[in-house]
Amino acid sequence: MDWGLIGASTIAAEHMIGAIRAQKGHEVTSVLSSGADRGASYAAIHGIKTSTTSLEEILADDQIGAVYISTTNEKHLSQALAAFAAGKHVMCEKPLAMSAADAATMVKAAAEAGVVLGTNHHLRSAGTHLAMKQLITDGVIGEVLSLRVFHAGLLPEHLRGWRLSDPAAGGGVIPDLVVHDADTVRFYLDEDPKSVVAMESHGSMSQGVEDGAMSVWKMPSGVQVMTHESFTHPFSQSGLEIYGTKGSLVARNVMTQLPVGEITLTTAAGSQPVTYSDHGLYDRTMAQFAAAIDGKGQPSATGVDGVKSLAVAEAVKQAAVSGQATKVDYCGV
Ligand code: NDP
């Protein structure tokens, strides 16, 4: 299947072009950029046959069966709706849109067009998270009591553009990282937060958007969840801790794009490291998406997952701004 890239982005260059090409029979043949010269040079660097500044041109190409949208967030909705109307399958970057309501519109449009929509929440595809999820499913740590996510790091210099300065493009640590944490927590617990309380910070990197957030979520089961996200922490380690009635899982450096990290399982029998598969996170995500296009199963994170994880992030933002506990609105999905 031929793919069109909608957006000449860093994430496509660093991870997704390779992940698409890792799927047998899948090739990236065209890239859309708002700048003709930039698009041509991006295409040349990445061995992509054509570049264009016209969305219509990419979508009119009958050879292209699927598109990967990785433009800035405010463009996802209109580009995805156009792609669905042209009958293309869509792998879309997180957050799916600027609001959960817009994201829900995307899910409805994809279903009406009969195409597959996936959300690029790559953490579900990590060997570390899959191994920990399996241990929970197998009952090894008993009933889960609480979960904590640490996702504070230092935003790499080459990403310090719109993320820090442009709320209209979807900048801020909440659309960037809280959505991922929401998706990861939903993946582990198989339930969706009901409401949240939160605070945000405008620290050393802020140029108009929040660069840090902490929140506590109320889950339907009563499991306690807290998360921390930041762009400004140079010496932090990311992590995830899950405490259960029979054991705990403590993982370090696992909130990442790479197949790395350390996991320790502690039960009455003592502590031991947990082994995991070191496959590429994006490769696995794309393998599942390619299978879904072939009618075999679902993308690892569906469009509905994209809506729900964005809805949680939206509630975190509202709670941080208002100082009030905020109910999560899943927009009927
Ligand atoms: P980039 O800033 O690299 O790309 C976004 C847009 O900015 C591109 O579409 C491009 O526009 C423009 N752009 C990029 N580089 C330049 C440049 N040097 N000069 C001029 N314009 C440029 O964003 P990211 O790749 O970091 O993020 C894109 C999307 O992917 C976002 O939605 C983000 O949330 C998501 N993301 C997801 C990750 C994941 O792991 N799932 C990780 C990182 C990002 P044009 O196409 O018009 O040329």
Side-chain angles (χ1 to χ4, degrees):
M1 173 173 286
D2 285 356
W3 281 74
L5 298 186
I6 297 187
S9 68
T10 308
I11 177 73
E14 290 182 349
H15 295 283
M16 290 299 284
I17 295 172
I20 292 169
R21 287 180 171 155
Q23 311 314 315
K24 200 165 172 231
H26 290 247
E27 183 50 273
V28 178
T29 58
S30 189
V31 57
L32 173 78
S33 171
S34 54
D37 289 349
R38 199 182 123 63
S41 120
Y42 191 96
I45 290 167
H46 298 290
I48 299 169
K49 213 164 53 189
T50 55
S51 65
T52 177
T53 56
S54 161
L55 178 63
E56 292 69 30
E57 191 180 310
I58 259 194
L59 297 180
D61 185 338
D62 289 337
Q63 296 302 311
I64 291 178
V67 297
Y68 166 57
I69 299 178
S70 63
T71 45
T72 45
N73 306 340
E74 84 287 8
K75 296 190 177 133
H76 295 178
L77 172 68
S78 60
Q79 291 172 333
L81 294 181
F84 301 145
K88 314 293 185 196
H89 302 289
V90 174
M91 170 56 82
C92 187
E93 266 311 334
K94 47 51 65 171
L96 271 190
M98 293 294 282
S99 69
D102 283 351
T105 301
M106 285 164 69
V107 166
K108 193 162 168 266
E112 282 167 6
V115 295
V116 179
L117 168 63
T119 312
N120 199 17
H121 282 302
H122 61 289
L123 290 164
R124 285 173 181 254
S125 296
T128 48
H129 294 293
L130 289 163
M132 286 192 283
K133 167 92 176 173
Q134 191 60 51
L135 289 168
I136 294 170
T137 305
D138 292 346
V140 174
I141 66 165
E143 203 180 310
V144 175
L145 300 169
S146 66
L147 188 155
R148 302 198 289 175
V149 184
F150 309 100
H151 204 160
L154 188 67
L155 186 67
E157 214 157 318
H158 69 288
L159 298 181
R160 294 179 196 170
W162 57 270
R163 271 183 184 75
L164 299 176
S165 60
D166 194 353
V173 81
I174 294 177
D176 203 43
L177 297 184
V178 175
V179 276
H180 275 317
D181 295 345
D183 195 68
T184 306
V185 169
R186 293 183 48 256
F187 166 71
Y188 275 108
L189 299 181
D190 287 322
E191 59 177 345
D192 304 320
K194 283 193 338 193
S195 63
V196 304
V197 292
M199 292 183 83
E200 64 179 31
S201 62
H202 292 249
S204 56
M205 285 212 190
S206 172
Q207 300 164 27
V209 296
E210 79 287 344
D211 59 8
M214 286 189 176
S215 56
V216 175
W217 306 353
K218 184 171 194 164
M219 305 303 290
S221 63
V223 172
Q224 289 186 293
V225 173
M226 66 182 270
T227 81
H228 176 204
E229 298 81 12
S230 177
F231 286 152
T232 67
H233 287 39
F235 301 107
S236 61
Q237 292 189 349
S238 75
L240 191 129
E241 300 181 350
I242 308 172
Y243 297 99
T245 50
K246 293 186 185 163
S248 69
L249 286 161
V250 172
R252 283 290 176 262
N253 298 319
V254 292
M255 306 306 288
T256 170
Q257 297 177 304
L258 301 174
V260 297
E262 310 82 46
I263 311 167
T264 304
L265 167 68
T266 302
T267 63
S271 290
Q272 63 185 92
V274 173
T275 56
Y276 57 86
S277 163
D278 64 355
H279 58 259
L281 283 63
Y282 298 94
D283 290 356
R284 190 178 194 278
T285 297
M286 289 316 299
Q288 251 181 280
F289 190 78
I293 290 175
D294 287 343
K296 296 175 203 137
Q298 300 257 339
S300 46
T302 61
V304 169
D305 288 315
V307 176
K308 289 187 171 183
S309 299
L310 174 53
V312 176
E314 218 170 21
V316 166
K317 180 69 188 176
Q318 283 167 18
V321 170
S322 68
Q324 304 291 319
T326 303
K327 196 168 168 287
V328 184
D329 179 358
Y330 293 104
C331 301
V333 299

